[in-house]
Amino acid sequence: MAISIISHQQIQLVLPLLQDLDAIFLNTSFEVLLTLNVPEALPFSPEDFGFALKVLRNAAPAGFGANHNQAFAQMHPQAAFFCVLNPDIRISQNPFPALLDTCACPSAGVVAPAIHNSSGQLEDSARKFPTPLRIAHRVLTRRRTRDYPPTQAAFHPDWVGGMFMMLPTPVYRQLGGFDERYFLYYEDVDLCARARLAGLNVVQLPLPGVVHDAQRASHRDAKYLRWHLGSMLRFFSSGVFLRLQWQRLIGRGRGRP
């Protein structure tokens, strides 16, 4: 397995994540590819950990998808699974055995654990595909309701957040990785949509111990808001979105919900 992490001057967040991985995996063989999207000094050596750590340094900043695609291209060729982790993820209980078992199923496309915040509350990291109508309703009512109720069983949401997702290597290659036209935001929506259109499952497992406090930078920073809106418009005007809507219409015509 290969794990891809991107740091954008976030190395103080990356270090405890690497320590978490070192603690839960012990001497299990896996590889971490750490991309430094902008120059920054490392407060550690790659040899400090019990796993192989490859540091990739960008000459110029790249987007979320481009960075992970670059890591995928440089991972060990025998890695059977590719995992994407945000630098601000923390892991106190090992979710990987269950994720790997599910990811090994022939129908698996994208697999992810449930995500909790630091207060122990379940984050809404599994959602239904966005549509202009759903977005408009959320904005006008100013209500953020959970798309799926909490569950103790694995289930198949439309898409899962890109802060933590795993794919079989052949699936990532088949899908062509992330669409690099999305610089930031909606890369995860698009990837899960393409997996679903290819007949593959998106799965979230109700596993404990994975913590992420959503930053929601687009709610506070105009630059991130522009990126968010631009990515949203790109998705809604894409062939992927049109195929999703066509698939839904066909399903309704056949009596499916």
Side-chain angles (χ1 to χ4, degrees), residues 155-191:
F155 72 105
H156 297 165
D158 283 352
W159 66 280
V160 291
M163 75 282 290
F164 192 147
M165 55 168 53
M166 181 185 294
L167 296 88
T169 295
V171 168
Y172 195 91
R173 186 175 293 116
Q174 171 191 344
L175 297 176
F178 288 105
D179 186 336
E180 297 182 15
R181 292 174 294 179
Y182 296 92
F183 184 80
L184 189 63
Y185 301 111
Y186 275 75
E187 306 95 330
D188 42 12
V189 182
D190 171 79
L191 185 69

Side-chain angles (χ1 to χ4, degrees), residues 36-234:
L36 304 182
N37 201 29
V38 294
E40 58 183 321
L42 293 182
F44 54 80
S45 168
E47 289 72 35
D48 290 345
F49 306 98
F51 51 81
L53 175 60
K54 181 183 293 185
V55 179
L56 310 177
R57 299 178 184 270
N58 285 350
F64 178 93
N67 278 315
H68 286 302
N69 288 348
Q70 171 187 253
F72 181 83
Q74 298 195 41
M75 72 182 188
H76 194 282
Q78 293 184 349
F81 303 97
F82 184 65
C83 180
V84 170
L85 283 182
N86 266 23
D88 51 357
I89 286 283
R90 296 300 308 273
I91 304 172
S92 61
Q93 298 183 51
N94 190 351
F96 288 98
L99 293 173
L100 289 168
D101 283 348
T102 302
C103 216
C105 296
S107 61
V110 182
V111 179
I115 306 292
H116 297 80
N117 62 27
S118 56
S119 299
Q121 298 174 318
L122 183 67
E123 290 284 290
D124 60 342
S125 59
R127 302 182 188 178
K128 295 181 179 179
F129 287 126
T131 65
L133 184 60
R134 288 175 61 82
I135 297 294
H137 180 266
R138 177 169 289 187
V139 170
L140 291 174
T141 60
R142 297 183 179 181
R143 294 175 60 188
R144 291 190 62 88
T145 56
R146 193 181 301 277
D147 287 347
Y148 298 97
T151 177
Q152 296 302 310
F155 72 105
H156 297 165
D158 283 352
W159 66 280
V160 291
M163 75 282 290
F164 192 147
M165 55 168 53
M166 181 185 294
L167 296 88
T169 295
V171 168
Y172 195 91
R173 186 175 293 116
Q174 171 191 344
L175 297 176
F178 288 105
D179 186 336
E180 297 182 15
R181 292 174 294 179
Y182 296 92
F183 184 80
L184 189 63
Y185 301 111
Y186 275 75
E187 306 95 330
D188 42 12
V189 182
D190 171 79
L191 185 69
C192 290
R194 287 186 283 121
R196 294 286 296 270
L197 289 169
L200 298 167
N201 289 330
V202 176
V203 187
Q204 187 180 77
L205 303 178
L207 304 172
V210 178
V211 175
H212 176 258
D213 281 311
Q215 301 298 311
R216 307 201 189 281
S218 63
H219 293 190
R220 306 182 306 274
D221 189 305
K223 177 178 68 175
Y224 286 89
L225 178 60
R226 287 195 300 272
W227 281 336
H228 200 156
L229 292 175
S231 293
M232 182 191 304
L233 293 174
R234 179 178 294 280

